Each structure stands twice: as C-alpha cells, then as structure tokens.
Amino acid sequence: MIRAEQYREAMDVMRGWDRVWIIAHAHADGDAIGSLIGARAGLRTVARDVTAFVFEPITRRYEFLVADDPLQVWDDESAKATRPDGLVLVDTCSRSQIEPFHSVLDSLSAPIVVFDHHKTRDIEAAVGLFDESAAAASLLIAEWAEANEITFDHATNLALFAGLSSDTGWFRYENADRRAFETAGRMIERGVHPDELYRRLYCTDRPQRLAMLARIFDTLELHADGRIATAYYTQEMMKKSGAKSGDLEELVSEIGRIGSIVTWALFSEQEDGRVRVNLRSKDTVDVAALAARLGGGGHARAAGARMSGSIEDAKLQIVRELTADLGEHTDP
Ligand SMILES: [Mn+2]
C-alpha cells in the first residue's frame, strides 16, 4: 500500500515542473492507456505543458477514451526540439518495455516519477510509487488524485475504470481485491456505468478477431497431462483472416478456459520475424520469473518476452521450462 502522504510528497516534486512528459510501456494496454490519461489530467492541474505519449497508435477498442484529447504518438523528431522538466512513467519501470525511448532516456537529466505495480524494475526514479499489491497502475493514479484532492472529469474517470478493469480481467483475476473493488466503487459513485463501459470496450470485436481465434485454437496443444497449453499465430494467419494487430489483444486469455490448464503460452510471430511469447498462469507457477530469464517481464500470473528463433524452438524451450516450474510445485 502507498500512503496518502507519499502521494502528496510525489505531487510536491511534480509541482515545480512546467513541461512534463508521460510515457507508459510500448503496446499500451488498457491499464497503460488509463494511467496515461489519468496522470495527464492530474499533472495538468499543476503543470502548463503536459504531453502523454504512446509508442504506437492505440488499440481501436480504446480510441473512444481519447476521442476529444488524443494521446501523442511518439516520434524521435519532435522530441529533439524540446526536453521536459520532469518525466512520469506509468505502468512500467523497465527499460525493455520502452525501447523507442532509450536514446532520450539516456540523455535525460529530468527527474523521473514512477507509478508502477510490476515486479521488474531497472530504471532509476527520483520518486518511485511502486506497489506490487495494486491491481493496476490506474488504481495508483486514482489514489494519487484522491490524496491530492484532484477531481477528474467524466472522460478521465472512464479511462481509469477501463484501466483498472482491464488489468483485473473485469474483476475476475486474483488481483481483484477489496482495494480494487473499492476504488472502482468510488469511480461508480462519480458517474461511471460499468455495464455501458463494458459494452463499449468489449462488445465491439470485428469478425476478424474471431477468425483469428479459430485459427489459433487449431494450433492448440496440451502438454504435461493437460496442465500446460501452447498455441501460436503467424503473420500468414493474420493475413488470411484479415486481422490487424488491434484485433488481437488478450487472445491469450481465451486459452485459459480449459479446466486442466495451470499455465499456458501463446506464441506470435512479429512483423520483424521475431517471436513474442505471452505467458499466463492460474496459480502456483510464477511466469514473471520465466519471462525475466528471457529478458522480458510482467506479473506472476501474466508476463511476456521476445524470443529469437522459430516458433517451434520457442515452444520446445517454454514447455520445458514450464514443465520444470510445475514440477517444483507438485506435491510428491
Ligand atoms: Mn498494469
């Protein structure tokens, strides 16, 4: 838990800033986007020039959250002209997650304030609001605003709720604790309608997403007596189904519906030919540890990394590692 006092001290540091940049991890998910929007709104109460950056255009699903106030897509050129007085990092504190920003980060003298709930941490912060027990970075932003008596407008409340709900799988995951529900409750009090938000976020899939799911399910394999599952997709499969990257968010969760599975992996061939692995675990297995060994990061129940070599090689390696991890947790 982070105390109200710590949130206020963080604000005292930020109060002196005029120009502020806010960044989150690449491939911004719901929580990253919610945190960016919330941090931007909060910072605007103290700083004159606040820009929240994403490294790619955001997923279509979340576009309505920033329809009136878009997030800035990062490009090195515009960054060359100016430098911020302070940098705020949300939903990550890991270099590998902000690759496009490396050259700027290395030459930046501005202090960094971090709001993060991940285990992996290798960026030096002037103020680190780290809380692994927090269900989402959006929750930390909401608490920070409350501690500093900042009132958000409706659009910002919606974005923070979207962030908190997406990182908790709409309040289904282990991290959906009392604090998450209570924070959500306060957002509802301020006018968020979860049913309406759910429809706008999750009942808007394009048929191409389901076409991809069908193809991915075709690749499904069970290992270790059905306790491990793997599946994959290739660029070729994307082409054939007509899916774009925006159609593919959180496909990995669909696999976990099989009862026998304890831990699972979805491999995806990236445009550059590298393989990304998304790892999930229902309990016992800490996939963050495995992801970290591969140079990636994440949470105990959801993590990811990039791997070189073929999908087949990656699969062999991951199944071997997950089998070993499972073994450690099996009672004799
Ligand atoms: Mn998060």
Side-chain angles (χ1 to χ4, degrees), residues 45-101:
T45 66
V46 292
R48 186 184 53 87
D49 182 2
V50 184
T51 313
F53 291 103
V54 282
F55 295 120
E56 310 83 12
I58 65 168
T59 311
R60 198 179 52 89
R61 166 188 324 284
Y62 300 112
E63 275 171 1
F64 74 93
L65 294 170
V66 288
D68 297 328
D69 195 356
L71 298 168
Q72 197 76 33
V73 179
W74 176 260
D75 75 276
D76 288 317
E77 283 312 303
S78 62
K80 271 181 194 153
T82 134
R83 283 293 141 103
D85 306 309
L87 177 71
V88 176
L89 214 55
V90 295
D91 202 29
T92 185
C93 193
S94 158
R95 275 185 71 89
S96 73
Q97 303 244 41
I98 56 165
E99 235 175 281
F101 200 72

Side-chain angles (χ1 to χ4, degrees), residues 31 91 117-118 167:
D31 187 30
D91 202 29
H117 67 135
H118 292 86
D167 256 25

Side-chain angles (χ1 to χ4, degrees), residues 192-256:
V192 173
H193 294 287
D195 59 329
E196 199 183 302
L197 184 61
Y198 185 89
R199 270 200 312 278
R200 294 189 75 176
L201 284 170
Y202 299 111
C203 300
T204 56
D205 286 352
R206 303 198 312 149
Q208 288 86 338
R209 176 181 168 91
L210 276 80
M212 268 306 275
L213 262 182
R215 286 171 198 272
I216 290 169
F217 285 151
D218 249 356
T219 72
L220 187 74
E221 278 178 68
L222 297 177
H223 317 263
D225 296 325
R227 288 181 302 158
I228 297 172
T230 57
Y232 66 85
Y233 64 83
T234 61
Q235 291 290 318
E236 179 71 19
M237 286 158 71
M238 283 183 67
K239 219 178 287 165
K240 282 191 175 146
S241 62
K244 301 198 172 70
S245 57
D247 296 313
L248 305 178
E249 202 195 31
E250 270 308 303
L251 285 176
V252 60
S253 307
E254 308 287 347
I255 299 164

Side-chain angles (χ1 to χ4, degrees), residues 270-283:
Q270 305 293 294
E271 271 172 54
D272 63 6
R274 292 177 76 190
V275 175
R276 180 169 171 78
V277 58
N278 275 296
L279 298 160
R280 293 290 184 276
S281 146
K282 288 179 190 166
D283 49 49

Side-chain angles (χ1 to χ4, degrees), residues 1-2 7 131 133-135 139-140 143 164 176-184 186:
M1 281 285 279
I2 295 174
Y7 285 122
D131 188 351
S133 72
L139 182 149
L140 299 177
E143 288 183 347
L164 174 56
D177 54 9
R178 178 176 174 162
R179 184 177 171 200
F181 276 98
E182 283 181 347
T183 307
R186 291 196 297 278

